[in-house]
Every structure is written in structure tokens, then in C-alpha cells.
Amino acid sequence: MVADADAGYAAAWAATVLRVLRTPYPWISGHVSTGPGDCDVTPERLHPAFHGSVDWHSSAHMQWSGVRLLGEAGDHLEAETRDGLVAELDGRLTLANGEVEAAYLRARPGFERPYGWAWAAMLAAAVRGSALPEARRWREATALVADAAATNLLDWLPRLTYPVRHGVHSNTAFALLLCHEAYDALGRRDVVELVERRALEWYADERDHPVAWEPSGEDFLSPALCTAALMRRVLEPGAFGDWLAMYLPRLGHAGDPLLVVPAVGDPSDGKGAHLLGLALSRAWQLRLLAPYVDEAAARRIAGATAEQVASVEGQIVGGDIMATHWLVSFALLAADAEHPG
């Protein structure tokens, strides 16, 4: 929820979303060519809905950010930004474009697995739950893409022997966290139940996660916190509190490395900029977990998450394209967790 305290940022965040969606290059294609006649990776040709913003998944989750900001902070946006965002989403999220994107996912079931799938589902859920009159125009397209992603997920997840635990796009717990939320909102109990079953199989008996190993040099996610945030959704509150105490026994204690602001050597480097996002994703997930620790730890978490967010604020809208093309989404997640409801 974009609270009044964040309203001043909302206008700048929305303008950034619009700007990067309208920035066609640089573009990172995940296209796998099947032959010499399949080498044209022109973004808008392959992905009429999800081009711009450097890559497919960032385009998807920056559109999620746009839908959220339009719905929750529309009164704080400049008319030019608001109208521009609506027009941009109108041009992308058409039924014809949704059919192209869904067909691409069906034909290439490993494309954007699983991070992009999760964000496509989050976009569809945001559109479906939006009170914006304009959002009705975007429902069919986003639902088609989310359904194609669900088909791929239902096929792949039972065959995944081990979860991926590092702190970048293929982290399993992060994708399952978003998919659980999104597909629950979309009424896909088959997806939700599969996510819950796999989460319990992989993580229910884990203990004393080695947080001292985090972060590695290209992380924008904390493997420890992604797992904990997923299990918060999967377990009942009492059971989750017990699990968390065993999984992260020193969460929020003095010296907890998860509270430390990541050091970013080069925010213009695409991989180095990941550490900017790590500060925001840590803030988001630490805030979700704060109600399950003692008061002293919760106070440390509150102070540390404020520092994490403050360390990145200038980069969210004023940084290099390697930062601005995606950080708004994680800033929104951090704001949501600070002001739930």
C-alpha cells in the first residue's frame, strides 16, 4: 500500500516507470534461436506487451508497478504521467498482444523460468484486483499470459529435484512466494496447492540457515529471507513462528548480517546494481518477519530497514538505467511491508 508518507515518491516512481518502459534499448533478450531464420530479436516484434525496461521480466514488473501506482497514488501523479501510463498500458495489454505473449511462453516453456512467470502472474493479479476503470481493458491480456505461465509452472515444478537457492532470478523460493500470492488472488488453487506442497517438502525441516554466507557479489535477493517469506505464507502463524526461530535463530539480533546495508561498488554495472535491489528486498522481507521476533529485534529491524531503503533512494529514479529499469518494483514491495493494509 502506498501510504501518505510515500506519496512524494509516488510521482517520481511513476514517471520512472513510464520513462523506462518507453526506453527500447539496451535490451537483453532471452530468445533461444531455433535456426538461422529465427535470429531476429527485435524486442517489440517478439514481445509486443513486454518490451522496454531492458528485459522481459523487468517490463512485466514495472508494468505491475505502474498499475499499482495508478490505483493507489493516482491523485499524486502529474496528469501527463498518469495519462501517459494509461496510454502505455493500453497499447501493450491488448488481447492480441496477450495472445502473442502467451503463445511464446507455450512454445518456449523454459523462457523466463521462474522469475518472469511469477511477475506475469503478479501483474495479472494487480490488474484483476484494481479498482481503476481502465484496468478492465487489461484483464484479458494479462490473464492469458498468467495462465500460460501457470501451465509451465505446473509442468516444471513437480520435476524440479532441488530448489535453487542463490540470490538472483532463478531463486526458487522467491518465485514461489510471488506465485503463491498472485495465483491465490487469481483463484488458481491448483497452483497454490502445488507451491505449498513443494515449499513444505524443501524447506519445512531446514534449520539454522548460514546467513554469514550472504550476500554474494551479484545478489538482489537474500536466499534466507526469500525462504522465510515464502514459509510465512505457507505455514499457520504459530507454526511459522516456531519454524522461523529455528531457521533464523539470530534474526534481528546485534550483529545479524542481514541487517547490514550492502556495499555497491559500481551501480552502473548491471550485476553490481543487483546489490541496490538487495537492500530493498531485504527491507521488504525483514519487515514481513519483524512481527515474529522479540521487541528488541523488531526495533533493530525497523532501524536497519530504514537504512537499507535510504541507501538506495537516489538510485531508484536518478540512477543508471541498470538501476532505474527495475528498482521501483522493489521499492513498492518495501513500502507495502512498512505500511500493510
Side-chain angles (χ1 to χ4, degrees):
M1 180 66 65
V2 179
D4 289 343
D6 299 303
Y9 297 114
W13 290 353
T16 300
V17 170
L18 182 58
R19 183 175 75 251
V20 299
L21 287 173
R22 288 176 170 176
T23 301
Y25 298 99
W27 175 254
I28 300 171
S29 174
H31 182 74
V32 177
S33 297
T34 58
D38 185 29
C39 295
D40 181 355
V41 295
T42 304
E44 196 166 354
R45 185 187 74 83
L46 286 182
H47 302 298
F50 301 122
H51 56 275
S53 202
V54 176
D55 48 43
W56 194 95
H57 52 259
S58 298
S59 184
H61 66 71
M62 289 295 267
Q63 290 181 59
W64 170 86
S65 300
V67 172
R68 291 284 312 281
L69 288 164
L70 284 168
E72 298 174 18
D75 292 342
H76 299 287
L77 307 187
E78 296 287 341
E80 183 178 0
T81 299
R82 189 197 184 283
D83 294 347
L85 264 178
V86 169
E88 192 68 25
L89 294 169
D90 275 343
R92 291 164 177 268
L93 302 180
T94 66
L95 178 59
N97 289 351
E99 288 172 341
V100 171
E101 297 284 6
Y104 191 94
L105 289 176
R106 288 192 297 268
R108 300 171 185 273
F111 178 72
E112 288 288 351
R113 181 179 74 191
Y115 183 82
W117 301 348
W119 277 115
M122 287 288 283
L123 173 60
V127 166
R128 179 169 174 172
S130 177
L132 284 170
E134 298 92 337
R136 298 190 190 99
R137 302 196 288 265
W138 311 328
R139 287 180 183 172
E140 284 187 294
T142 55
L144 282 172
V145 180
D147 283 345
T151 298
N152 290 348
L153 181 71
L154 290 168
D155 176 67
W156 167 74
L157 195 56
R159 297 186 286 108
L160 184 64
T161 306
Y162 308 108
V164 178
R165 299 178 184 273
H166 55 55
V168 292
H169 303 85
S170 52
N171 182 281
T172 305
F174 179 82
L176 297 191
L177 168 65
L178 295 193
C179 285
H180 191 275
E181 176 180 344
Y183 285 113
D184 187 40
L186 292 168
R188 289 293 304 265
R189 290 302 306 168
D190 53 343
V191 178
V192 170
E193 289 171 4
L194 176 59
V195 166
E196 291 175 350
R197 184 167 69 252
R198 298 260 62 190
L200 290 171
E201 290 170 355
W202 284 324
Y203 307 120
D205 296 326
E206 296 206 339
R207 301 291 182 267
D208 200 14
H209 183 92
V211 293
W213 295 1
E214 298 189 26
S216 38
E218 299 178 355
D219 286 355
F220 66 93
L221 302 170
S222 160
L225 294 176
C226 287
T227 300
L230 171 62
M231 295 304 283
R232 172 182 168 271
R233 289 195 61 90
V234 168
L235 295 172
E236 294 296 325
F240 174 70
D242 293 340
W243 178 90
L244 183 65
M246 291 183 285
Y247 181 69
L248 294 175
R250 296 193 57 78
L251 181 64
H253 290 205
D256 181 356
L258 296 174
L259 305 185
V260 177
V261 175
V264 183
D266 181 3
S268 68
D269 177 84
K271 300 296 187 181
H274 279 181
L275 292 162
L276 299 168
L278 178 62
L280 295 173
S281 69
R282 278 183 173 179
W284 160 43
Q285 293 172 342
L286 283 166
R287 287 168 174 171
L288 294 179
L289 301 177
Y292 301 91
V293 299
D294 62 51
E295 290 184 10
R299 285 194 298 271
R300 290 189 195 94
I301 287 173
T305 55
E307 291 178 5
Q308 302 260 18
V309 172
S311 74
V312 181
E313 281 176 348
Q315 297 286 340
I316 296 169
V317 302
D320 187 87
I321 187 66
M322 289 297 108
T324 57
H325 81 272
W326 65 288
L327 287 181
V328 168
S329 302
F330 284 80
L332 273 171
L333 290 169
D336 285 347
E338 186 179 20
H339 307 291

